[in-house]
mmCIF file of all heavy atoms in Angstrom:
data_model
loop_
_atom_site.group_PDB
_atom_site.id
_atom_site.type_symbol
_atom_site.label_atom_id
_atom_site.label_comp_id
_atom_site.label_asym_id
_atom_site.label_seq_id
_atom_site.Cartn_x
_atom_site.Cartn_y
_atom_site.Cartn_z
ATOM 1 N N MET A 1 -77.295 122.461 26.488
ATOM 2 C CA MET A 1 -76.642 123.313 27.490
ATOM 3 C C MET A 1 -75.945 124.482 26.799
ATOM 4 O O MET A 1 -75.287 124.291 25.775
ATOM 5 C CB MET A 1 -75.609 122.481 28.266
ATOM 6 C CG MET A 1 -75.038 123.199 29.457
ATOM 7 S SD MET A 1 -73.888 122.151 30.362
ATOM 8 C CE MET A 1 -72.356 122.716 29.666
ATOM 9 N N ILE A 2 -76.108 125.641 27.357
ATOM 10 C CA ILE A 2 -75.408 126.821 26.839
ATOM 11 C C ILE A 2 -73.967 126.771 27.343
ATOM 12 O O ILE A 2 -73.726 126.683 28.548
ATOM 13 C CB ILE A 2 -76.102 128.120 27.308
ATOM 14 C CG1 ILE A 2 -77.535 128.181 26.766
ATOM 15 C CG2 ILE A 2 -75.299 129.339 26.875
ATOM 16 C CD1 ILE A 2 -78.356 129.321 27.352
ATOM 17 N N THR A 3 -73.021 126.782 26.428
ATOM 18 C CA THR A 3 -71.608 126.687 26.836
ATOM 19 C C THR A 3 -70.856 128.000 26.691
ATOM 20 O O THR A 3 -69.819 128.187 27.325
ATOM 21 C CB THR A 3 -70.883 125.610 26.021
ATOM 22 O OG1 THR A 3 -71.030 125.909 24.632
ATOM 23 C CG2 THR A 3 -71.463 124.228 26.314
ATOM 24 N N ARG A 4 -71.363 128.873 25.834
ATOM 25 C CA ARG A 4 -70.715 130.173 25.689
ATOM 26 C C ARG A 4 -71.791 131.235 25.539
ATOM 27 O O ARG A 4 -72.826 131.006 24.919
ATOM 28 C CB ARG A 4 -69.795 130.198 24.470
ATOM 29 C CG ARG A 4 -68.580 129.316 24.664
ATOM 30 C CD ARG A 4 -67.516 129.636 23.658
ATOM 31 N NE ARG A 4 -67.907 129.205 22.319
ATOM 32 C CZ ARG A 4 -67.214 129.450 21.228
ATOM 33 N NH1 ARG A 4 -66.098 130.145 21.294
ATOM 34 N NH2 ARG A 4 -67.623 129.022 20.066
ATOM 35 N N LEU A 5 -71.505 132.395 26.099
ATOM 36 C CA LEU A 5 -72.455 133.507 26.032
ATOM 37 C C LEU A 5 -71.682 134.777 25.709
ATOM 38 O O LEU A 5 -70.640 135.045 26.319
ATOM 39 C CB LEU A 5 -73.182 133.654 27.384
ATOM 40 C CG LEU A 5 -74.141 134.831 27.516
ATOM 41 C CD1 LEU A 5 -75.365 134.633 26.616
ATOM 42 C CD2 LEU A 5 -74.573 135.009 28.966
ATOM 43 N N ALA A 6 -72.163 135.523 24.736
ATOM 44 C CA ALA A 6 -71.558 136.813 24.399
ATOM 45 C C ALA A 6 -72.660 137.865 24.400
ATOM 46 O O ALA A 6 -73.721 137.664 23.796
ATOM 47 C CB ALA A 6 -70.882 136.748 23.031
ATOM 48 N N VAL A 7 -72.442 138.941 25.110
ATOM 49 C CA VAL A 7 -73.407 140.036 25.190
ATOM 50 C C VAL A 7 -72.657 141.343 24.962
ATOM 51 O O VAL A 7 -71.627 141.586 25.604
ATOM 52 C CB VAL A 7 -74.090 140.090 26.578
ATOM 53 C CG1 VAL A 7 -75.150 141.190 26.606
ATOM 54 C CG2 VAL A 7 -74.714 138.750 26.937
ATOM 55 N N SER A 8 -73.168 142.168 24.082
ATOM 56 C CA SER A 8 -72.571 143.497 23.936
ATOM 57 C C SER A 8 -73.681 144.521 23.797
ATOM 58 O O SER A 8 -74.709 144.274 23.177
ATOM 59 C CB SER A 8 -71.613 143.555 22.740
ATOM 60 O OG SER A 8 -72.296 143.273 21.560
ATOM 61 N N GLY A 9 -73.474 145.660 24.439
ATOM 62 C CA GLY A 9 -74.397 146.780 24.319
ATOM 63 C C GLY A 9 -75.737 146.560 24.969
ATOM 64 O O GLY A 9 -76.751 147.102 24.514
ATOM 65 N N TYR A 10 -75.775 145.763 26.045
ATOM 66 C CA TYR A 10 -77.032 145.571 26.773
ATOM 67 C C TYR A 10 -76.861 146.099 28.188
ATOM 68 O O TYR A 10 -75.999 145.614 28.922
ATOM 69 C CB TYR A 10 -77.442 144.099 26.795
ATOM 70 C CG TYR A 10 -78.715 143.857 27.577
ATOM 71 C CD1 TYR A 10 -79.937 144.331 27.119
ATOM 72 C CD2 TYR A 10 -78.681 143.178 28.792
ATOM 73 C CE1 TYR A 10 -81.101 144.144 27.849
ATOM 74 C CE2 TYR A 10 -79.843 142.977 29.523
ATOM 75 C CZ TYR A 10 -81.048 143.461 29.049
ATOM 76 O OH TYR A 10 -82.187 143.275 29.780
ATOM 77 N N ARG A 11 -77.687 147.071 28.580
ATOM 78 C CA ARG A 11 -77.548 147.739 29.875
ATOM 79 C C ARG A 11 -76.075 148.125 30.072
ATOM 80 O O ARG A 11 -75.510 148.807 29.206
ATOM 81 C CB ARG A 11 -78.111 146.864 31.000
ATOM 82 C CG ARG A 11 -79.647 146.823 30.955
ATOM 83 C CD ARG A 11 -80.248 145.756 31.835
ATOM 84 N NE ARG A 11 -79.868 145.882 33.224
ATOM 85 C CZ ARG A 11 -80.567 146.511 34.158
ATOM 86 N NH1 ARG A 11 -81.697 147.094 33.837
ATOM 87 N NH2 ARG A 11 -80.150 146.552 35.387
ATOM 88 N N SER A 12 -75.459 147.683 31.129
ATOM 89 C CA SER A 12 -74.073 148.106 31.352
ATOM 90 C C SER A 12 -73.065 147.135 30.737
ATOM 91 O O SER A 12 -71.853 147.332 30.888
ATOM 92 C CB SER A 12 -73.808 148.222 32.858
ATOM 93 O OG SER A 12 -73.963 146.963 33.480
ATOM 94 N N LEU A 13 -73.550 146.079 30.067
ATOM 95 C CA LEU A 13 -72.630 145.071 29.524
ATOM 96 C C LEU A 13 -72.125 145.535 28.161
ATOM 97 O O LEU A 13 -72.845 145.491 27.170
ATOM 98 C CB LEU A 13 -73.345 143.716 29.419
ATOM 99 C CG LEU A 13 -73.966 143.199 30.715
ATOM 100 C CD1 LEU A 13 -74.670 141.860 30.477
ATOM 101 C CD2 LEU A 13 -72.917 143.073 31.815
ATOM 102 N N ARG A 14 -70.877 145.967 28.118
ATOM 103 C CA ARG A 14 -70.333 146.525 26.879
ATOM 104 C C ARG A 14 -69.884 145.433 25.923
ATOM 105 O O ARG A 14 -70.233 145.442 24.755
ATOM 106 C CB ARG A 14 -69.149 147.435 27.192
ATOM 107 C CG ARG A 14 -69.588 148.741 27.800
ATOM 108 C CD ARG A 14 -68.417 149.670 27.978
ATOM 109 N NE ARG A 14 -68.744 150.689 28.969
ATOM 110 C CZ ARG A 14 -67.839 151.363 29.643
ATOM 111 N NH1 ARG A 14 -66.559 151.149 29.432
ATOM 112 N NH2 ARG A 14 -68.207 152.268 30.530
ATOM 113 N N ASP A 15 -69.066 144.502 26.412
ATOM 114 C CA ASP A 15 -68.556 143.426 25.551
ATOM 115 C C ASP A 15 -68.176 142.260 26.451
ATOM 116 O O ASP A 15 -67.032 142.137 26.877
ATOM 117 C CB ASP A 15 -67.345 143.911 24.751
ATOM 118 C CG ASP A 15 -66.930 142.897 23.701
ATOM 119 O OD1 ASP A 15 -67.678 141.927 23.464
ATOM 120 O OD2 ASP A 15 -65.851 143.075 23.111
ATOM 121 N N LEU A 16 -69.163 141.428 26.751
ATOM 122 C CA LEU A 16 -68.982 140.341 27.707
ATOM 123 C C LEU A 16 -68.948 139.004 26.975
ATOM 124 O O LEU A 16 -69.813 138.716 26.155
ATOM 125 C CB LEU A 16 -70.146 140.357 28.711
ATOM 126 C CG LEU A 16 -70.164 139.246 29.757
ATOM 127 C CD1 LEU A 16 -69.084 139.482 30.798
ATOM 128 C CD2 LEU A 16 -71.519 139.158 30.422
ATOM 129 N N ARG A 17 -67.941 138.215 27.259
ATOM 130 C CA ARG A 17 -67.863 136.853 26.713
ATOM 131 C C ARG A 17 -67.581 135.907 27.856
ATOM 132 O O ARG A 17 -66.616 136.118 28.603
ATOM 133 C CB ARG A 17 -66.727 136.740 25.683
ATOM 134 C CG ARG A 17 -67.063 137.460 24.390
ATOM 135 C CD ARG A 17 -65.823 138.038 23.771
ATOM 136 N NE ARG A 17 -66.179 139.155 22.896
ATOM 137 C CZ ARG A 17 -66.316 139.029 21.590
ATOM 138 N NH1 ARG A 17 -66.122 137.866 21.008
ATOM 139 N NH2 ARG A 17 -66.643 140.069 20.868
ATOM 140 N N LEU A 18 -68.421 134.882 27.983
ATOM 141 C CA LEU A 18 -68.289 133.938 29.086
ATOM 142 C C LEU A 18 -68.270 132.517 28.562
ATOM 143 O O LEU A 18 -68.985 132.186 27.625
ATOM 144 C CB LEU A 18 -69.489 134.049 30.042
ATOM 145 C CG LEU A 18 -69.648 135.300 30.895
ATOM 146 C CD1 LEU A 18 -70.934 135.171 31.694
ATOM 147 C CD2 LEU A 18 -68.453 135.457 31.811
ATOM 148 N N VAL A 19 -67.465 131.686 29.181
ATOM 149 C CA VAL A 19 -67.545 130.238 28.982
ATOM 150 C C VAL A 19 -68.305 129.692 30.178
ATOM 151 O O VAL A 19 -67.957 129.988 31.329
ATOM 152 C CB VAL A 19 -66.139 129.609 28.885
ATOM 153 C CG1 VAL A 19 -66.246 128.093 28.786
ATOM 154 C CG2 VAL A 19 -65.385 130.167 27.697
ATOM 155 N N LEU A 20 -69.374 128.941 29.903
ATOM 156 C CA LEU A 20 -70.244 128.447 30.961
ATOM 157 C C LEU A 20 -70.093 126.934 31.116
ATOM 158 O O LEU A 20 -69.815 126.225 30.153
ATOM 159 C CB LEU A 20 -71.701 128.776 30.632
ATOM 160 C CG LEU A 20 -72.020 130.266 30.454
ATOM 161 C CD1 LEU A 20 -73.436 130.438 29.919
ATOM 162 C CD2 LEU A 20 -71.837 131.011 31.763
ATOM 163 N N SER A 21 -70.291 126.468 32.324
ATOM 164 C CA SER A 21 -70.317 125.025 32.561
ATOM 165 C C SER A 21 -71.650 124.658 33.194
ATOM 166 O O SER A 21 -72.591 125.455 33.197
ATOM 167 C CB SER A 21 -69.123 124.602 33.420
ATOM 168 O OG SER A 21 -69.074 125.389 34.583
ATOM 169 N N ARG A 22 -71.753 123.460 33.740
ATOM 170 C CA ARG A 22 -73.067 122.995 34.216
ATOM 171 C C ARG A 22 -73.555 123.827 35.392
ATOM 172 O O ARG A 22 -74.756 124.012 35.563
ATOM 173 C CB ARG A 22 -72.994 121.521 34.601
ATOM 174 C CG ARG A 22 -72.854 120.626 33.378
ATOM 175 C CD ARG A 22 -72.710 119.175 33.774
ATOM 176 N NE ARG A 22 -73.895 118.686 34.468
ATOM 177 C CZ ARG A 22 -73.915 117.573 35.184
ATOM 178 N NH1 ARG A 22 -72.827 116.856 35.308
ATOM 179 N NH2 ARG A 22 -75.018 117.198 35.780
ATOM 180 N N LEU A 23 -72.653 124.288 36.206
ATOM 181 C CA LEU A 23 -73.017 125.139 37.338
ATOM 182 C C LEU A 23 -72.144 126.386 37.288
ATOM 183 O O LEU A 23 -70.908 126.285 37.182
ATOM 184 C CB LEU A 23 -72.794 124.396 38.666
ATOM 185 C CG LEU A 23 -73.054 125.219 39.934
ATOM 186 C CD1 LEU A 23 -74.531 125.585 40.046
ATOM 187 C CD2 LEU A 23 -72.601 124.441 41.167
ATOM 188 N N ASN A 24 -72.791 127.546 37.331
ATOM 189 C CA ASN A 24 -72.064 128.818 37.262
ATOM 190 C C ASN A 24 -72.515 129.708 38.404
ATOM 191 O O ASN A 24 -73.711 129.828 38.655
ATOM 192 C CB ASN A 24 -72.349 129.506 35.920
ATOM 193 C CG ASN A 24 -72.042 128.597 34.754
ATOM 194 O OD1 ASN A 24 -70.910 128.466 34.347
ATOM 195 N ND2 ASN A 24 -73.074 127.948 34.233
ATOM 196 N N VAL A 25 -71.589 130.303 39.084
ATOM 197 C CA VAL A 25 -71.889 131.191 40.207
ATOM 198 C C VAL A 25 -71.462 132.608 39.825
ATOM 199 O O VAL A 25 -70.326 132.822 39.402
ATOM 200 C CB VAL A 25 -71.143 130.737 41.484
ATOM 201 C CG1 VAL A 25 -71.432 131.689 42.639
ATOM 202 C CG2 VAL A 25 -71.551 129.314 41.860
ATOM 203 N N VAL A 26 -72.406 133.522 39.925
ATOM 204 C CA VAL A 26 -72.125 134.914 39.556
ATOM 205 C C VAL A 26 -72.054 135.739 40.840
ATOM 206 O O VAL A 26 -73.015 135.784 41.606
ATOM 207 C CB VAL A 26 -73.231 135.466 38.629
ATOM 208 C CG1 VAL A 26 -72.959 136.918 38.288
ATOM 209 C CG2 VAL A 26 -73.327 134.614 37.378
ATOM 210 N N THR A 27 -70.931 136.355 41.056
ATOM 211 C CA THR A 27 -70.761 137.205 42.228
ATOM 212 C C THR A 27 -70.229 138.569 41.774
ATOM 213 O O THR A 27 -69.711 138.707 40.672
ATOM 214 C CB THR A 27 -69.764 136.606 43.245
ATOM 215 O OG1 THR A 27 -68.466 136.580 42.663
ATOM 216 C CG2 THR A 27 -70.166 135.205 43.662
ATOM 217 N N GLY A 28 -70.365 139.557 42.651
ATOM 218 C CA GLY A 28 -69.821 140.869 42.328
ATOM 219 C C GLY A 28 -70.476 141.933 43.181
ATOM 220 O O GLY A 28 -71.528 141.710 43.788
ATOM 221 N N ALA A 29 -69.858 143.069 43.209
ATOM 222 C CA ALA A 29 -70.359 144.195 44.003
ATOM 223 C C ALA A 29 -71.696 144.677 43.461
ATOM 224 O O ALA A 29 -72.067 144.364 42.322
ATOM 225 C CB ALA A 29 -69.338 145.339 43.972
ATOM 226 N N ASN A 30 -72.408 145.440 44.264
ATOM 227 C CA ASN A 30 -73.649 146.070 43.817
ATOM 228 C C ASN A 30 -73.351 146.896 42.567
ATOM 229 O O ASN A 30 -72.362 147.622 42.510
ATOM 230 C CB ASN A 30 -74.232 146.978 44.904
ATOM 231 C CG ASN A 30 -74.668 146.233 46.157
ATOM 232 O OD1 ASN A 30 -74.431 146.689 47.263
ATOM 233 N ND2 ASN A 30 -75.280 145.091 45.999
ATOM 234 N N GLY A 31 -74.211 146.753 41.576
ATOM 235 C CA GLY A 31 -74.056 147.540 40.361
ATOM 236 C C GLY A 31 -73.012 147.023 39.399
ATOM 237 O O GLY A 31 -72.686 147.700 38.416
ATOM 238 N N SER A 32 -72.488 145.830 39.657
ATOM 239 C CA SER A 32 -71.426 145.317 38.783
ATOM 240 C C SER A 32 -71.976 144.613 37.550
ATOM 241 O O SER A 32 -71.210 144.308 36.627
ATOM 242 C CB SER A 32 -70.498 144.378 39.564
ATOM 243 O OG SER A 32 -71.215 143.280 40.070
ATOM 244 N N GLY A 33 -73.296 144.319 37.541
ATOM 245 C CA GLY A 33 -73.886 143.773 36.324
ATOM 246 C C GLY A 33 -74.463 142.368 36.440
ATOM 247 O O GLY A 33 -74.795 141.756 35.418
ATOM 248 N N LYS A 34 -74.600 141.853 37.649
ATOM 249 C CA LYS A 34 -75.134 140.492 37.818
ATOM 250 C C LYS A 34 -76.554 140.388 37.254
ATOM 251 O O LYS A 34 -76.870 139.458 36.505
ATOM 252 C CB LYS A 34 -75.133 140.096 39.303
ATOM 253 C CG LYS A 34 -73.769 140.197 39.970
ATOM 254 C CD LYS A 34 -73.821 139.807 41.435
ATOM 255 C CE LYS A 34 -74.685 140.738 42.271
ATOM 256 N NZ LYS A 34 -74.136 142.105 42.395
ATOM 257 N N SER A 35 -77.413 141.336 37.624
ATOM 258 C CA SER A 35 -78.793 141.286 37.127
ATOM 259 C C SER A 35 -78.839 141.514 35.629
ATOM 260 O O SER A 35 -79.668 140.916 34.927
ATOM 261 C CB SER A 35 -79.658 142.320 37.854
ATOM 262 O OG SER A 35 -79.819 141.973 39.212
ATOM 263 N N SER A 36 -77.954 142.357 35.120
ATOM 264 C CA SER A 36 -77.911 142.583 33.674
ATOM 265 C C SER A 36 -77.578 141.278 32.952
ATOM 266 O O SER A 36 -78.121 141.011 31.869
ATOM 267 C CB SER A 36 -76.874 143.659 33.336
ATOM 268 O OG SER A 36 -77.219 144.882 33.935
ATOM 269 N N LEU A 37 -76.730 140.464 33.544
ATOM 270 C CA LEU A 37 -76.371 139.182 32.936
ATOM 271 C C LEU A 37 -77.597 138.287 32.830
ATOM 272 O O LEU A 37 -77.904 137.753 31.751
ATOM 273 C CB LEU A 37 -75.267 138.526 33.769
ATOM 274 C CG LEU A 37 -74.830 137.139 33.311
ATOM 275 C CD1 LEU A 37 -74.295 137.184 31.891
ATOM 276 C CD2 LEU A 37 -73.793 136.578 34.262
ATOM 277 N N TYR A 38 -78.348 138.110 33.939
ATOM 278 C CA TYR A 38 -79.491 137.205 33.822
ATOM 279 C C TYR A 38 -80.619 137.822 33.021
ATOM 280 O O TYR A 38 -81.375 137.117 32.363
ATOM 281 C CB TYR A 38 -79.923 136.639 35.187
ATOM 282 C CG TYR A 38 -80.729 137.499 36.111
ATOM 283 C CD1 TYR A 38 -82.040 137.861 35.809
ATOM 284 C CD2 TYR A 38 -80.199 137.916 37.329
ATOM 285 C CE1 TYR A 38 -82.783 138.632 36.682
ATOM 286 C CE2 TYR A 38 -80.940 138.679 38.212
ATOM 287 C CZ TYR A 38 -82.226 139.041 37.881
ATOM 288 O OH TYR A 38 -82.967 139.805 38.742
ATOM 289 N N ARG A 39 -80.723 139.163 33.026
ATOM 290 C CA ARG A 39 -81.725 139.800 32.165
ATOM 291 C C ARG A 39 -81.398 139.560 30.693
ATOM 292 O O ARG A 39 -82.303 139.441 29.866
ATOM 293 C CB ARG A 39 -81.782 141.304 32.420
ATOM 294 C CG ARG A 39 -82.605 141.703 33.629
ATOM 295 C CD ARG A 39 -82.351 143.168 33.905
ATOM 296 N NE ARG A 39 -83.123 143.681 35.004
ATOM 297 C CZ ARG A 39 -84.092 144.603 34.868
ATOM 298 N NH1 ARG A 39 -84.372 145.102 33.683
ATOM 299 N NH2 ARG A 39 -84.743 145.038 35.911
ATOM 300 N N SER A 40 -80.123 139.537 30.341
ATOM 301 C CA SER A 40 -79.751 139.272 28.949
ATOM 302 C C SER A 40 -80.171 137.855 28.552
ATOM 303 O O SER A 40 -80.636 137.628 27.431
ATOM 304 C CB SER A 40 -78.256 139.498 28.732
ATOM 305 O OG SER A 40 -77.476 138.477 29.331
ATOM 306 N N LEU A 41 -80.031 136.899 29.476
ATOM 307 C CA LEU A 41 -80.480 135.533 29.205
ATOM 308 C C LEU A 41 -82.004 135.495 29.053
ATOM 309 O O LEU A 41 -82.543 134.786 28.199
ATOM 310 C CB LEU A 41 -80.049 134.610 30.341
ATOM 311 C CG LEU A 41 -78.589 134.166 30.305
ATOM 312 C CD1 LEU A 41 -78.219 133.463 31.598
ATOM 313 C CD2 LEU A 41 -78.337 133.255 29.113
ATOM 314 N N ARG A 42 -82.699 136.248 29.910
ATOM 315 C CA ARG A 42 -84.163 136.325 29.845
ATOM 316 C C ARG A 42 -84.599 136.888 28.486
ATOM 317 O O ARG A 42 -85.532 136.391 27.855
ATOM 318 C CB ARG A 42 -84.651 137.225 30.991
ATOM 319 C CG ARG A 42 -86.122 137.373 31.160
ATOM 320 C CD ARG A 42 -86.732 136.162 31.805
ATOM 321 N NE ARG A 42 -87.486 135.408 30.789
ATOM 322 C CZ ARG A 42 -87.959 134.182 30.940
ATOM 323 N NH1 ARG A 42 -87.771 133.537 32.050
ATOM 324 N NH2 ARG A 42 -88.612 133.590 30.000
ATOM 325 N N LEU A 43 -83.900 137.929 28.042
ATOM 326 C CA LEU A 43 -84.212 138.538 26.747
ATOM 327 C C LEU A 43 -84.022 137.528 25.620
ATOM 328 O O LEU A 43 -84.876 137.396 24.729
ATOM 329 C CB LEU A 43 -83.320 139.764 26.527
ATOM 330 C CG LEU A 43 -83.446 140.464 25.174
ATOM 331 C CD1 LEU A 43 -84.843 141.013 24.965
ATOM 332 C CD2 LEU A 43 -82.422 141.586 25.062
ATOM 333 N N LEU A 44 -82.918 136.787 25.653
ATOM 334 C CA LEU A 44 -82.677 135.769 24.625
ATOM 335 C C LEU A 44 -83.776 134.715 24.648
ATOM 336 O O LEU A 44 -84.245 134.263 23.595
ATOM 337 C CB LEU A 44 -81.312 135.111 24.848
ATOM 338 C CG LEU A 44 -80.101 135.941 24.440
ATOM 339 C CD1 LEU A 44 -78.826 135.283 24.940
ATOM 340 C CD2 LEU A 44 -80.062 136.106 22.931
ATOM 341 N N ALA A 45 -84.194 134.305 25.854
ATOM 342 C CA ALA A 45 -85.256 133.302 25.974
ATOM 343 C C ALA A 45 -86.566 133.842 25.397
ATOM 344 O O ALA A 45 -87.277 133.130 24.680
ATOM 345 C CB ALA A 45 -85.430 132.902 27.441
ATOM 346 N N ASP A 46 -86.879 135.098 25.695
ATOM 347 C CA ASP A 46 -88.116 135.694 25.179
ATOM 348 C C ASP A 46 -88.090 135.787 23.659
ATOM 349 O O ASP A 46 -89.097 135.534 22.984
ATOM 350 C CB ASP A 46 -88.327 137.088 25.782
ATOM 351 C CG ASP A 46 -88.706 137.029 27.258
ATOM 352 O OD1 ASP A 46 -89.057 135.931 27.736
ATOM 353 O OD2 ASP A 46 -88.641 138.081 27.928
ATOM 354 N N VAL A 47 -86.940 136.154 23.106
ATOM 355 C CA VAL A 47 -86.801 136.247 21.660
ATOM 356 C C VAL A 47 -87.007 134.867 21.035
ATOM 357 O O VAL A 47 -87.694 134.718 20.010
ATOM 358 C CB VAL A 47 -85.420 136.818 21.266
ATOM 359 C CG1 VAL A 47 -85.150 136.654 19.789
ATOM 360 C CG2 VAL A 47 -85.344 138.296 21.652
ATOM 361 N N ALA A 48 -86.437 133.842 21.663
ATOM 362 C CA ALA A 48 -86.581 132.480 21.145
ATOM 363 C C ALA A 48 -88.043 132.032 21.191
ATOM 364 O O ALA A 48 -88.526 131.351 20.272
ATOM 365 C CB ALA A 48 -85.702 131.527 21.945
ATOM 366 N N GLN A 49 -88.768 132.417 22.254
ATOM 367 C CA GLN A 49 -90.177 132.054 22.378
ATOM 368 C C GLN A 49 -91.000 132.693 21.270
ATOM 369 O O GLN A 49 -91.954 132.086 20.775
ATOM 370 C CB GLN A 49 -90.735 132.528 23.728
ATOM 371 C CG GLN A 49 -90.217 131.756 24.928
ATOM 372 C CD GLN A 49 -90.799 130.355 24.984
ATOM 373 O OE1 GLN A 49 -91.947 130.151 24.658
ATOM 374 N NE2 GLN A 49 -89.986 129.394 25.383
ATOM 375 N N ALA A 50 -90.622 133.923 20.909
ATOM 376 C CA ALA A 50 -91.398 134.663 19.917
ATOM 377 C C ALA A 50 -91.122 134.172 18.499
ATOM 378 O O ALA A 50 -91.898 134.438 17.588
ATOM 379 C CB ALA A 50 -91.078 136.153 20.026
ATOM 380 N N ALA A 51 -90.022 133.460 18.305
ATOM 381 C CA ALA A 51 -89.619 133.040 16.947
ATOM 382 C C ALA A 51 -90.539 131.944 16.420
ATOM 383 O O ALA A 51 -91.169 131.232 17.194
ATOM 384 C CB ALA A 51 -88.180 132.556 16.950
HETATM 385 N N1 LIG B 1 -79.791 150.879 30.075
HETATM 386 C C1 LIG B 1 -78.663 150.975 30.784
HETATM 387 N N2 LIG B 1 -77.549 151.481 30.233
HETATM 388 C C2 LIG B 1 -76.398 151.563 30.940
HETATM 389 N N3 LIG B 1 -76.252 151.149 32.207
HETATM 390 C C3 LIG B 1 -77.352 150.632 32.792
HETATM 391 C C4 LIG B 1 -78.593 150.501 32.130
HETATM 392 N N4 LIG B 1 -79.486 149.936 32.973
HETATM 393 C C5 LIG B 1 -78.814 149.719 34.122
HETATM 394 N N5 LIG B 1 -77.536 150.146 34.027
HETATM 395 C C6 LIG B 1 -76.468 150.071 35.043
HETATM 396 O O1 LIG B 1 -75.936 148.783 35.045
HETATM 397 C C7 LIG B 1 -75.215 148.585 36.256
HETATM 398 C C8 LIG B 1 -75.368 147.151 36.684
HETATM 399 O O2 LIG B 1 -76.676 146.975 37.224
HETATM 400 P P1 LIG B 1 -77.162 145.547 37.736
HETATM 401 O O3 LIG B 1 -78.536 145.765 38.266
HETATM 402 O O4 LIG B 1 -76.989 144.528 36.659
HETATM 403 O O5 LIG B 1 -76.128 145.249 38.912
HETATM 404 P P2 LIG B 1 -76.163 144.107 40.018
HETATM 405 O O6 LIG B 1 -74.791 143.495 40.006
HETATM 406 O O7 LIG B 1 -77.319 143.190 39.779
HETATM 407 O O8 LIG B 1 -76.385 144.940 41.354
HETATM 408 P P3 LIG B 1 -77.067 144.497 42.744
HETATM 409 O O9 LIG B 1 -76.045 143.657 43.464
HETATM 410 O O10 LIG B 1 -77.321 145.800 43.440
HETATM 411 O O11 LIG B 1 -78.320 143.741 42.419
HETATM 412 C C9 LIG B 1 -75.755 149.631 37.233
HETATM 413 O O12 LIG B 1 -74.724 150.577 37.482
HETATM 414 C C10 LIG B 1 -76.915 150.268 36.460
HETATM 415 O O13 LIG B 1 -77.031 151.627 36.771
HETATM 416 MG MG1 LIG B 2 -79.015 142.697 40.899
#
């Protein structure tokens, strides 16, 4: 299980640090970065697949 996530310099995410638990709910206004958050996870997954 991923328990902590840090993203910096990806799309609009300048310096994001999150503590995650088994269930996480992401909310926010349009353009606040929700999709950027899951895209960053997708990018990490793709990088791991390529390794
Ligand atoms: N390469 C980039 N560099 C900087 N900012 C970017 C980049 N790509 C997208 N953005 C900006 O990131 C912000 C967050 O976008 P994102 O799509 O993650 O928001 P969202 O919370 O998913 O919005 P919605 O609720 O409309 O789906 C937007 O203002 C977008 O213009
Ligand atoms: Mg979105």
Side-chain angles (χ1 to χ4, degrees):
M1 189 178 97
I2 298 171
T3 56
R4 291 196 290 175
L5 176 68
V7 183
S8 61
Y10 178 68
R11 287 167 58 94
S12 62
L13 304 179
R14 286 185 200 158
D15 189 10
L16 177 73
R17 288 147 204 263
L18 291 178
V19 176
L20 301 171
S21 52
R22 289 177 63 196
L23 176 66
N24 305 279
V25 178
V26 178
T27 66
N30 295 138
S32 60
K34 304 180 296 293
S35 292
S36 298
L37 177 60
Y38 78 68
R39 279 169 178 246
S40 72
L41 281 170
R42 184 77 253 168
L43 176 62
L44 284 170
D46 289 346
V47 168
Q49 289 288 323

